[in-house]
Amino acid sequence: MTQGAGLRSPSPEFSPLALGEDLAPLPEYKAAGTTALDFYGLLSEPLKLHEDLKTGCGGQLWPAGMVLAKHFLRRPRDDLRSAKILELGAGGGLVGLAVAKGCAVESPLYITDQVEMESLMRHNISLNGLDGRVRAAILNWGEPLSQDIVEFKPDTILAADCVYFEPAFPLLLRTLEDLLLLSPAASIYFCFKKRRRADMQFLKSARKAFVVREIEDQDRPVFSREGLFLYTFTRR
């Protein structure tokens, strides 16, 4: 969750000016370090995720990423064998790397974010021995997609904790629309935590642009109490 393209700013949740009664509690800042995650036994070999906030709040592990990663890791290992997967606003790459480790994906998997996150994404790819299986790429919301991504034609798009900065909402929507145009049968798996009333305006706009369906997940009773939502977006 690090996007805003040219609207780069400190994420509002870290600004005292953004605090209000509709703002959910946030994770504490963490010192840079590496965390090992097996997602409650769903990974036989833990994922190593280096977290570092020096280049932006996306360098930290966020709750929607955990929910989305667990959702995919519970699926049969071969479910995504032929999928072409791309993660948006990947930060350190939590969701994409977890899927690459735990699922039998034949095509290279892309994790994408702004240039500030590129070195962290590449570091975490190497840290998990996933060079060649996972590619880090720069993708600024609202800007034309790169030729590599256009030719890749992702059909499974992952987005966790990408709703956090209201001025970036139209840019994110434009990129989601552009990605769905590449592959008519593509699905976007979108998980976010409501932190302020404006976050639900993004969902309202998404419902106008896409077919939006809430995903049934065994952890839903737990994560919904924490203000987390899990949806698919598809073309109308």
Side-chain angles (χ1 to χ4, degrees), residues 4-232:
L7 296 166
R8 188 80 187 177
S9 79
S11 181
E13 59 255 83
F14 292 114
S15 167
L17 299 176
L19 295 176
E21 62 180 8
D22 61 339
L23 189 61
L26 291 160
E28 295 180 0
Y29 278 108
K30 292 182 180 179
T34 301
T35 302
L37 301 159
D38 69 357
F39 299 89
Y40 301 95
L42 293 172
L43 283 180
S44 56
E45 179 187 355
L47 172 71
K48 294 184 284 289
L49 190 80
H50 187 71
E51 300 179 78
D52 191 344
L53 285 163
K54 69 182 179 184
T55 55
C57 58
Q60 183 170 324
L61 189 156
W62 292 88
M66 293 293 293
V67 169
L68 188 55
K70 285 173 68 180
H71 174 76
F72 278 99
L73 291 174
R74 285 199 186 99
R75 293 168 64 162
R77 179 174 166 80
D78 287 339
D79 260 17
L80 298 174
R81 183 172 292 279
S82 61
K84 294 188 173 182
I85 302 171
L86 179 144
E87 182 182 3
L88 281 176
L94 170 70
V95 183
L97 294 172
V99 169
K101 281 185 74 72
C103 304
V105 183
E106 291 180 345
S107 295
L109 184 154
Y110 277 86
I111 57 175
T112 71
D113 210 305
Q114 293 180 299
V115 66
E116 291 88 346
M117 290 293 124
E118 185 178 19
S119 63
L120 183 60
M121 291 190 293
R122 293 188 185 281
H123 177 77
N124 282 330
I125 290 170
S126 296
L127 191 61
N128 289 280
L130 293 171
D131 300 273
R133 292 185 55 203
V134 180
R135 299 173 182 173
I138 297 166
L139 195 162
N140 293 316
W141 301 343
E143 294 184 5
L145 301 173
S146 70
Q147 192 59 35
D148 283 348
I149 290 173
V150 169
E151 292 176 359
F152 181 59
K153 290 183 171 55
D155 56 23
T156 304
I157 296 113
L158 314 177
D161 261 322
C162 289
V163 174
Y164 67 99
F165 184 41
E166 190 175 1
F169 290 178
L171 306 178
L172 174 56
L173 283 167
R174 193 179 316 155
T175 292
L176 295 175
E177 289 170 344
D178 289 347
L179 287 167
L180 287 182
L181 285 173
L182 296 178
S183 179
S187 294
I188 297 163
Y189 293 83
F190 199 93
C191 189
F192 75 100
K193 182 178 178 71
K194 178 186 180 294
R195 296 188 172 91
R196 58 189 63 79
R197 293 184 185 93
D199 294 348
M200 301 312 289
Q201 291 301 313
F202 174 84
L203 187 61
K204 185 177 179 180
S205 297
R207 290 188 188 280
K208 293 178 181 177
F210 314 116
V211 176
V212 177
R213 295 187 176 92
E214 191 162 6
I215 297 174
E216 290 296 329
D217 184 276
Q218 70 182 60
D219 283 346
R220 183 181 170 194
V222 176
F223 66 68
S224 62
R225 289 198 297 269
E226 299 172 1
L228 286 152
F229 299 86
L230 180 58
Y231 295 97
T232 57

